[in-house]
Amino acid sequence: MSRVLVIGCGGVANVAIRKCCQADDVFTELCIASRTKSKCDALAEALKGKTKTVVTTAQVDADKVDELVELIKSYKPDLVMNIALPYQDLTIMDACLICGVNYMDTANYEPEDTDDPEWRAIYEKRCKEQGFSAYFDYSWQWAYREKFEKAGLTALLGCGFDPGVTQAYCAYAKKHEFDTIDTIDILDCNGGDHGYAFATNFNPEVNLREVSAPGSYIENGKWVEIPAMSIKREYDFDKVGQKDMYLLHHEELESLALNIPEVKRIRFFMTFGQSYLTHMKCLENVGMLSTTPINFEGHEIVPIKFLKALLPDPASLGPRTHGKTNIGCIFTGKKDGKDKTYYIYNVCDHQECYKEVESQAISYTTGVPAMCGAMMLLTGKWTEKGVHTVEEFDPDPFLDALDKYGLPRSENFDPVLVD
Ligand code: NDP
């Protein structure tokens, strides 16, 4: 028995909500609230007669703490699932604290306006001190640790696939497969083809900001930053085949370095096709990825927001995307004094996802872990108070839930390593 408030009704939320409604013994009542209420109403209508979960809808601007507080106070949920955008993480955490409700999200905080001088000063100091220049980092949300602990509440951060499941894979490797882990390589492969020359699989603004930023990895406790897309490897992925992949900065590197401190090197690679990279570079060169507003014929426009309006909606890629994703982690380390390697990953088929929940696999591989993470909190499997990332919790019940709800793990005890 539980009451859950989901904020956001985009690609990922659509999957998470449909999956919650499959587990209607746990998710008994659910309110979908977003900026555009008509999207929430359309999903609620599509779910009618297919679930015992009692689904209601609401309109909310999650940038406004007072609107959130009013909604949370009137709905009285046990958990707020933030599946809007990373821009709303802090306002939703504030509202949860005011109302005494548990919180979770799928991506760590970054500001919408990266030109805000107050934010910029803190950001530039962090770049110098830490050595990586991504716009997002955990410091903003980790600053809430004491407040959540004192309030006896849990905030679960980054519970999608990566971040999210990749950290559960790390916790699982540490718990069952290794005494000490030396290296972790996170490999995110999308072998899907949607037939467009250029489109992003999740929110274009968030996606393009992430991919066009400098890459970085952790070596011997320090960040090493490299120009965007300057480290390339090839890898032969199970059920997908040979792909080019590039080293990116990714948020889970930061928390993994803290929570598995013995690890000497942590890297993150993502596959990209040549067409995607050529388009992105061209758009970047002409200024279309900029977040700084410009004046155009008397109107103020933000170039990347304008680009978002032109690109296909990620939610519309479902019917036309074919192929598979393969996301997982390769570990090296020691067990019982001997060297060991281990690879744990999931393979997910775009068309199978579409048949089940009318979405492509990127939203599916994010929405299912969000639902499973919520299930861990609601069923008392994960009870730690404070602000935590996924690797801090017991991975076993979470991976069992993922096996059951559509993202089963595969293992390889003799994987090809990435040089
Ligand atoms: P979409 O753009 O498809 O959906 C975002 C939703 O949030 C929309 O419904 C939007 O409403 C709503 N929203 C935006 N701003 C507000 C606001 N101020 N108040 C209320 N609602 C708002 O994004 P995705 O579904 O692709 O991504 C959702 C989240 O998942 C993002 O944070 C993304 O970074 C994360 N993600 C995480 C991954 C992981 O593996 N951990 C992988 C992929 C994504 P409207 O319809 O009005 O625009």
Side-chain angles (χ1 to χ4, degrees):
M1 294 278 284
S2 68
R3 227 170 141 77
V4 171
L5 172 64
V6 180
I7 299 181
C9 193
V12 176
N14 258 268
V15 175
I17 292 162
R18 284 168 192 266
K19 295 300 284 192
C20 290
C21 290
Q22 286 179 12
D24 49 19
D25 51 332
V26 174
F27 297 86
T28 42
E29 289 174 61
L30 189 145
C31 175
I32 315 169
S34 192
R35 185 168 53 188
T36 312
K37 185 171 176 284
S38 56
K39 291 189 191 169
C40 311
D41 292 336
L43 178 57
E45 190 57 36
L47 286 163
K48 257 192 194 150
K50 294 185 183 145
T51 177
K52 287 202 213 87
T53 307
V54 180
V55 180
T56 51
T57 63
Q59 199 277 331
V60 73
D61 180 351
D63 290 323
K64 299 196 174 116
V65 177
D66 54 343
E67 281 195 24
L68 287 162
V69 167
E70 199 184 318
L71 174 63
I72 296 172
K73 282 194 171 156
S74 73
Y75 189 66
K76 298 186 180 59
D78 304 303
L79 171 70
V80 173
M81 294 175 76
N82 167 14
I83 321 184
L85 295 176
Y87 314 146
Q88 283 85 44
D89 287 5
L90 303 185
T91 46
I92 301 177
M93 287 177 87
D94 282 333
C96 283
L97 274 172
I98 292 170
C99 300
V101 180
N102 293 322
Y103 167 90
M104 66 174 286
D105 63 36
T106 61
N108 72 11
Y109 173 71
E110 67 179 273
E112 186 159 15
D113 176 11
T114 51
D115 293 325
D116 171 15
E118 205 179 313
W119 174 84
R120 195 106 210 149
I122 299 169
Y123 163 75
E124 276 162 14
K125 185 165 172 275
R126 190 268 286 159
C127 289
K128 270 199 205 120
E129 282 170 6
Q130 300 272 329
F132 68 95
S133 57
Y135 285 148
F136 50 87
D137 73 85
Y138 277 114
S139 64
W140 298 90
Q141 291 180 278
W142 281 341
Y144 284 71
R145 277 172 176 156
E146 213 183 309
K147 288 185 202 160
F148 271 78
E149 239 169 71
K150 274 198 182 139
L153 296 172
T154 304
L156 169 61
L157 306 186
C159 196
F161 207 106
D162 45 340
V165 179
T166 49
Q167 287 140 291
Y169 285 165
C170 293
Y172 182 86
K174 179 78 187 150
K175 183 174 175 186
H176 297 287
E177 301 296 336
F178 290 91
D179 296 324
T180 52
I181 298 177
D182 290 331
T183 66
I184 304 173
D185 278 333
I186 302 170
L187 270 48
D188 179 331
C189 163
N190 179 9
D193 182 7
H194 43 59
Y196 287 117
F198 186 69
T200 64
N201 291 296
F202 68 96
N203 183 282
E205 206 179 319
V206 178
N207 178 266
L208 289 166
R209 275 191 188 199
E210 175 180 304
V211 176
S212 58
S216 57
Y217 60 98
I218 292 189
E219 194 152 47
N220 298 321
K222 290 205 169 60
W223 287 97
V224 181
E225 189 158 87
I226 55 155
M229 304 291 161
S230 60
I231 294 185
K232 176 187 167 188
R233 298 282 185 272
E234 277 179 20
Y235 200 82
D236 193 2
F237 289 92
D238 184 26
K239 311 272 190 309
V240 175
Q242 192 89 5
K243 290 275 166 199
D244 292 341
M245 59 183 192
Y246 298 82
L247 189 144
L248 293 189
H249 175 83
H250 224 245
E251 62 200 72
E252 64 265 52
L253 305 188
E254 199 187 350
S255 69
L256 286 170
L258 195 81
N259 292 316
I260 315 183
E262 85 251 19
V263 181
K264 296 188 184 78
R265 192 189 66 203
I266 318 176
R267 301 183 297 186
F268 181 97
F269 290 92
M270 192 178 270
T271 63
F272 294 101
Q274 206 46 54
S275 175
Y276 179 95
L277 292 179
T278 309
H279 278 78
M280 189 185 77
K281 196 73 215 157
C282 175
L283 291 165
E284 189 181 19
N285 286 344
V286 297
M288 283 301 292
L289 303 191
S290 169
T291 55
T292 305
I294 59 156
N295 192 290
F296 178 71
E297 295 185 350
H299 300 278
E300 191 175 83
I301 59 166
V302 177
I304 198 166
K305 284 190 187 294
F306 179 65
L307 175 64
K308 182 185 173 200
L310 292 175
L311 289 174
D313 178 356
S316 71
L317 299 178
R320 45 188 297 149
T321 307
H322 296 263
K324 292 178 170 48
T325 60
N326 177 327
I327 318 174
C329 304
I330 301 178
F331 303 91
T332 67
K334 289 207 165 36
K335 179 78 176 170
D336 302 327
K338 288 194 191 122
D339 287 339
K340 180 171 179 176
T341 59
Y342 174 64
Y343 188 8
I344 178 168
Y345 58 94
N346 163 263
V347 175
C348 188
D349 185 285
H350 285 285
Q351 280 299 301
E352 292 297 322
C353 297
Y354 188 71
K355 267 185 234 149
E356 187 195 330
V357 294
E358 294 173 34
S359 147
Q360 33 81 3
I362 305 301
S363 301
Y364 191 90
T365 53
T366 311
V368 174
M371 178 282 268
C372 292
M375 186 179 259
M376 295 300 105
L377 296 174
L378 294 167
T379 56
K381 302 267 185 349
W382 289 355
T383 54
E384 193 73 7
K385 306 300 175 213
V387 176
H388 300 285
T389 44
V390 172
E391 73 272 29
E392 295 179 75
F393 293 98
D394 182 2
D396 294 350
F398 184 58
L399 294 192
D400 289 345
L402 292 166
D403 287 343
K404 180 174 171 190
Y405 287 102
L407 296 176
R409 71 195 104 169
S410 297
E411 296 177 297
N412 180 343
F413 291 86
D414 187 20
V416 173
L417 302 180
V418 181
D419 63 13

